[in-house]
Amino acid sequence: MSIIKKLNSNIINNIAAGEIIEGPSSVVKELLENSIDAGSRNIDIYIEESGIKNIVVKDDGFGMSKNDLEIAFKRHTTSKIHSKDDLFNIKTLGFRGEALPSIASVSFLSAISKNNTEINQIKIIGGKKEFIKKGALNEGTLIKVENLFFNLPARKKFLKNKKKEFNKISSIVKSYALCYPDICFKFTHNGSEIYDLNRNNLKNRIGDIFGRKFEDSLISVDYQKDDCNINGFAGNIDLLRKRKTNQFIFLNNRLIKDKLIEKAILQPFLSSIQRNEYP
């Protein structure tokens, strides 16, 4: 008898969930990216107890049919790539088709989606589909994730405290709100409004998030060479901090973290201070 066996799909999804879904902030990130990829103009994020109890993301994107809604929660299903060549021309935030089934495998998940012709809803508990049927929704897609890691108590035990989990979610919402100032974002935690951001340009969106005092200390950046275009805003010396808390770098509208780039941005400010060029 062979000792090597093929894992069943539920175990595979749980393993994938452990790699992709580190906590509530990972869920919010994946759902936000899907909403943006769906062409949404308005995205609402509601969380309770730092997302551990409840996460709801609602958008006004193009929605899904009944068949697409069901397939979306199966592994390696995607609308974003169709051939190997597409891997070299990806313009969306997500494409692997692992996020939704991973989230569904470790939570109580329900989703309602409306496209041009129909409205349907699906419910999945721990990766097992409970039902798919007609639903009610004005537009777009609404996904609700409850009791995250209910079936993985060891993973739930090692979540950060609620304040840290909330800060991680808030940072993700802030990042995407800065990257996509033409989208309205509404973020609510335990019934309290954190952000209610109308469509704007980047400079005004920075002011909406960090306060109007930032606007007087912003330096416009606009540089182009060959196929590379760098634009955005840098703060003047008045906004300089030792920690890179409010440094946001986006590559092709995707948030990135790169120590070399971060250092290259910060170093001229520090050098100016050392040379006493600023009071």
Side-chain angles (χ1 to χ4, degrees):
M1 180 181 294
S2 174
I3 62 172
I4 298 176
K5 297 179 175 62
K6 183 178 180 179
L7 294 173
N8 66 49
S9 59
N10 197 43
I11 294 177
I12 292 172
N13 283 341
N14 280 346
I15 293 172
E19 296 172 347
I20 298 169
I21 309 302
E22 298 179 353
S25 60
S26 300
V27 175
V28 172
K29 176 180 179 295
E30 299 292 350
L31 297 183
L32 266 181
E33 289 182 350
N34 281 347
S35 292
I36 293 169
D37 284 342
S40 304
R41 300 285 286 168
N42 296 274
I43 302 176
D44 296 344
I45 307 104
Y46 306 90
I47 64 172
E48 292 183 52
E49 295 183 13
S50 301
I52 297 171
K53 180 180 179 181
N54 188 14
I55 297 169
V56 178
V57 175
K58 181 181 182 298
D59 65 50
D60 61 351
F62 48 69
M64 292 178 278
S65 67
K66 179 179 179 180
N67 189 50
D68 285 339
L69 184 61
E70 189 166 18
I71 293 175
F73 291 93
K74 296 181 179 180
R75 291 194 74 213
H76 304 304
T77 59
T78 180
S79 63
K80 298 164 185 176
I81 56 174
H82 301 93
S83 69
K84 182 177 68 175
D85 293 338
D86 291 338
L87 292 172
F88 300 95
N89 192 35
I90 293 171
K91 299 188 185 327
T92 56
L93 294 170
F95 64 92
R96 294 179 301 171
E98 290 190 279
L100 288 179
S102 295
I103 295 168
S105 71
V106 292
S107 68
F108 289 31
L109 183 146
S110 60
I112 307 174
S113 193
K114 177 184 180 182
N115 65 2
N116 292 330
T117 59
E118 56 185 330
I119 310 170
N120 296 284
Q121 62 176 315
I122 190 170
K123 185 172 183 179
I124 304 172
I125 297 178
K128 296 180 180 180
K129 185 178 72 176
E130 296 293 304
F131 61 74
I132 183 165
K133 61 183 182 181
K134 295 294 182 182
L137 189 68
N138 291 332
E139 58 186 354
T141 299
L142 184 152
I143 296 181
K144 184 176 185 178
V145 177
E146 300 176 280
N147 299 322
L148 187 64
F149 298 137
F150 79 98
N151 53 354
L152 291 177
R155 173 55 65 92
K156 190 169 186 176
K157 179 181 178 181
F158 284 98
L159 288 176
K160 305 294 184 183
N161 64 53
K162 290 182 179 179
K163 183 177 180 180
K164 289 184 178 179
E165 293 296 335
F166 167 74
N167 288 340
K168 288 167 69 174
I169 293 173
S170 183
S171 177
I172 286 170
V173 175
K174 183 191 302 181
S175 298
Y176 282 101
L178 288 168
C179 191
Y180 296 89
D182 56 334
I183 298 177
C184 296
F185 287 87
K186 187 173 183 179
F187 177 37
T188 305
H189 180 224
N190 292 341
S192 298
E193 183 181 283
I194 309 301
Y195 293 125
D196 188 1
L197 304 169
N198 293 321
R199 280 184 286 276
N200 224 322
N201 57 44
L202 176 56
K203 185 176 182 180
N204 288 335
R205 176 59 60 87
I206 292 172
D208 290 340
I209 291 175
F210 295 106
R212 293 301 164 191
K213 64 180 182 180
F214 267 62
E215 291 191 30
D216 295 332
S217 300
L218 292 178
I219 303 169
S220 178
V221 176
D222 193 355
Y223 174 82
Q224 186 168 357
K225 184 177 181 180
D226 300 327
D227 294 329
C228 179
N229 184 27
I230 301 173
N231 58 70
F233 290 92
N236 64 20
I237 204 70
D238 295 335
L239 301 181
L240 182 63
R241 301 291 183 272
K242 291 182 179 180
R243 297 177 60 189
K244 300 184 292 292
T245 306
N246 291 328
Q247 189 179 94
F248 300 88
I249 306 166
F250 304 96
L251 175 62
N252 296 336
N253 291 332
R254 183 186 292 271
L255 179 70
I256 65 168
K257 300 287 186 181
D258 186 282
K259 291 183 179 180
L260 287 176
I261 297 176
E262 292 172 353
K263 184 177 180 180
I265 293 172
L266 187 61
Q267 191 57 47
F269 290 94
L270 298 178
S271 298
S272 297
I273 292 175
Q274 291 171 358
R275 294 194 301 266
N276 295 319
E277 294 181 5
Y278 288 91

